Amino acid sequence: MSLKLKAYREDRGLTQTQVVDEIYRRAVARGDKPPGLCPVAVSRHENGHKRPSLYYQAWYCDIYRATPEQLGFRAPLPVEAAHTATASLSLTEDEDVRRRGFLALLGATALSPFESKLESIRRSLTLPRRPSDRDLHEWERTAYAYWGELSATPPAQLLVHLLADFDEVVTVLDQSWPDNERRCLTHVAGQLAVLIAHSLVSLGEQQAARRWWRTARAAADCAGDPVLAAFVHGQQAVLSLYGSYTPAQVLDLVDEAEALARGTACAGLASALGARAQALATLGRTTAARQTLKDLRTVLQLLPDHVTGEQHFCCGWPEHRLHHIESYTFTRLGQLRDAEEAQDRALALYEPTSWRGPAQIGLHRAACLVAGGEIAGGVDHAASVLKALPAERRRDGFIEPLGRAVLAQLPERARRLPVVQDYRELLAAPAGAQPSVR
């Protein structure tokens, strides 16, 4: 990065002082607050001693008429700088600077130039008016729509739009809202944070996801909503089964979710119990895992129809989730007949457009076949599940770990079989590559 910045400056015949003067002149002409840049800071940016903020990155791109990539700025994950810009639920810096920095981020990552320009124009419009109930209802509809798009939209594509809306809802929260409406809007921010964390887990970005779980928890606390708080903790527990958390850490998250639910039957408590059953099964604690499944069924019987009948919304808990959890739990426990029955029930209930859940169930079944001694058949079944998916979905953070789990449970004597070697190549193949065929 440092050599490129310096090379572009020298190519244009500019000194470091002239760069500072030009940024100052353009910022003032545009109505920005005068930037606090000096030649020493430019030197530090050029020699790599200090990374320029997104705000100054945008100015360097403007002055040198270059893209962030041409200047050597690493294109970060959308969440990296966006989370820094929106880490609290109130603005702590000049809104115009923050907005411009966020738009520069979007332009440098997932939005097309056309989309980025459209968003820049839209966000530049500021209408002086009081927030209304219509604004709140529109944000609630926005969050609801995202839950329906979660399984169908590629996570990288969904993530950039989630981040844009999260950034905007944080801006809206800075306006004057009555206390009740502010809590409702913060509830929306919490939902968006959960969706962002979910998308990051799907992308395999576990560390970034953990930061967004913290943001979701903070939003739930600010909203003063124990149901949302239990849901956030319950979802984190479930999704942590696919990340870097140990089963013991998952059980800690479950304990927190149950404490927040305070015995109230809700989606958060159901998710927590589901995570508990699966974590216990991973630890081989058969009796405790089966008892937890019984407790989960009891909670589901107490949930109202609008919760069990909702397929997508954050506080919905449809029946297929129960059978999916049973499939995972019984597969891990080696109780193959119960696992296969749960798999059949889950597959019968998934919507036709669902892909992740059925693929996971398929890999559960492959693991059952291997555990039952049908090694070649199980591996071949797992391979067929993965090959039926587009290459990028094979790398999904909820799919790849299950695919590797099938390989990990193979006995040593089976690992040199041709079908196993082909499957190993399939797992190792980069997105878009075609594994060899024997």
Side-chain angles (χ1 to χ4, degrees):
M1 178 184 72
S2 57
L3 293 178
K4 292 184 180 181
L5 271 180
K6 183 177 181 180
Y8 268 83
R9 176 177 60 77
E10 293 179 341
D11 186 59
R12 283 151 181 76
L14 298 172
T15 66
Q16 292 172 343
T17 300
Q18 288 172 325
V19 169
V20 172
D21 291 343
E22 185 62 17
I23 290 177
Y24 185 96
R25 183 188 68 79
R26 295 189 187 195
V28 171
R30 199 171 65 180
D32 287 359
K33 292 171 63 177
L37 190 67
C38 65
V40 173
V42 174
S43 176
R44 295 183 70 191
H45 292 163
E46 290 184 349
N47 61 31
H49 289 171
K50 181 177 177 61
R51 179 180 177 82
S53 67
L54 286 171
Y55 177 68
Y56 288 119
Q57 287 182 33
W59 276 122
Y60 284 132
C61 291
D62 187 29
I63 290 173
Y64 300 146
R65 296 184 180 180
T67 66
E69 293 78 15
Q70 289 172 329
L71 291 180
F73 300 137
R74 180 181 67 85
L77 282 173
V79 66
E80 291 179 337
H83 187 269
T84 300
T86 59
S88 71
L89 295 179
S90 62
L91 296 178
T92 57
E93 59 178 315
D94 179 75
E95 162 58 19
D96 186 61
V97 173
R98 190 183 63 78
R99 177 179 58 81
R100 293 181 190 279
F102 190 81
L103 291 173
L105 167 73
L106 294 184
T109 53
L111 290 184
S112 69
F114 178 69
E115 290 174 315
S116 182
K117 183 63 176 176
L118 285 178
E119 182 66 7
S120 179
I121 293 171
R122 188 186 71 83
R123 293 291 290 272
S124 68
L125 177 65
T126 303
L127 298 176
R129 63 183 180 85
R130 293 178 61 84
S132 69
D133 288 343
R134 287 180 301 178
D135 297 319
L136 179 59
H137 294 328
E138 180 57 33
W139 277 111
E140 289 172 340
R141 284 193 292 266
T142 296
Y144 184 90
Y146 273 125
W147 286 103
E149 296 166 7
L150 187 60
S151 62
T153 307
Q157 178 183 333
L158 187 67
L159 180 59
V160 72
H161 296 290
L162 282 166
L163 289 168
D165 276 326
F166 184 87
D167 177 74
E168 190 168 340
V169 80
V170 169
T171 303
V172 172
L173 270 167
D174 198 47
Q175 301 175 22
S176 297
W177 289 88
D179 288 345
N180 186 59
E181 283 77 2
R182 177 174 292 278
R183 284 193 293 270
C184 292
L185 194 56
T186 305
H187 191 287
V188 170
Q191 290 185 51
L192 294 178
V194 171
L195 286 156
I196 290 169
H198 191 291
S199 299
L200 288 165
V201 174
S202 183
L203 290 168
E205 297 293 337
Q206 303 292 343
Q207 293 175 334
R210 286 198 290 269
R211 293 192 287 273
W212 280 93
W213 286 122
R214 291 198 297 270
T215 299
R217 290 181 179 204
D221 290 342
C222 289
D225 186 345
V227 172
L228 176 63
F231 174 77
V232 170
H233 285 72
Q235 280 291 289
Q236 184 180 5
V238 171
L239 271 61
S240 295
L241 292 162
Y242 298 91
S244 56
Y245 288 73
T246 65
Q249 289 172 322
V250 172
L251 292 175
D252 286 342
L253 290 170
V254 170
D255 289 341
E256 293 174 12
E258 290 183 315
L260 288 166
R262 300 174 186 173
T264 301
C266 59
L269 180 58
S271 294
L273 290 172
R276 182 184 293 282
Q278 294 172 91
L280 290 170
T282 302
L283 294 170
R285 295 171 59 182
T286 302
T287 302
R290 293 192 72 100
Q291 180 58 51
T292 302
L293 288 177
K294 291 180 181 179
D295 296 340
L296 173 57
R297 296 187 195 101
T298 299
V299 169
L300 294 181
Q301 290 173 357
L302 298 174
L303 292 178
D305 292 343
H306 74 269
V307 174
T308 56
E310 176 58 67
Q311 292 288 322
H312 302 299
F313 188 51
C314 73
C315 290
W317 224 92
E319 184 183 351
H320 67 71
R321 288 191 190 176
L322 168 64
H323 303 310
H324 191 122
I325 289 166
E326 290 173 334
S327 171
Y328 184 110
T329 302
F330 292 138
T331 297
R332 288 300 181 102
L333 292 175
Q335 298 179 345
L336 306 184
R337 179 174 296 179
D338 288 339
E340 291 173 5
E341 290 177 357
Q343 290 155 17
D344 290 339
R345 288 192 294 267
L347 290 172
L349 292 172
Y350 275 110
E351 294 180 317
T353 56
S354 297
W355 67 271
R356 184 181 285 117
Q360 290 176 305
I361 292 294
L363 292 171
H364 293 173
R365 178 151 290 177
C368 287
L369 289 170
V370 170
E374 299 181 47
I375 292 174
V379 172
D380 187 64
H381 186 79
S384 67
V385 170
L386 295 181
K387 289 177 181 178
L389 298 173
E392 65 276 8
R393 287 185 173 177
R394 297 175 198 164
R395 294 284 178 246
D396 184 84
F398 300 99
I399 299 296
E400 188 174 23
L402 294 178
R404 295 196 178 279
V406 173
L407 186 64
Q409 77 178 81
L410 293 173
E412 188 65 34
R413 59 180 173 78
R415 300 196 174 192
R416 294 186 180 181
L417 293 174
V419 67
V420 174
Q421 293 182 31
D422 288 344
Y423 182 64
R424 186 179 289 108
E425 289 183 16
L426 178 64
L427 287 173
Q434 294 297 323
S436 62
V437 178
R438 295 181 187 273

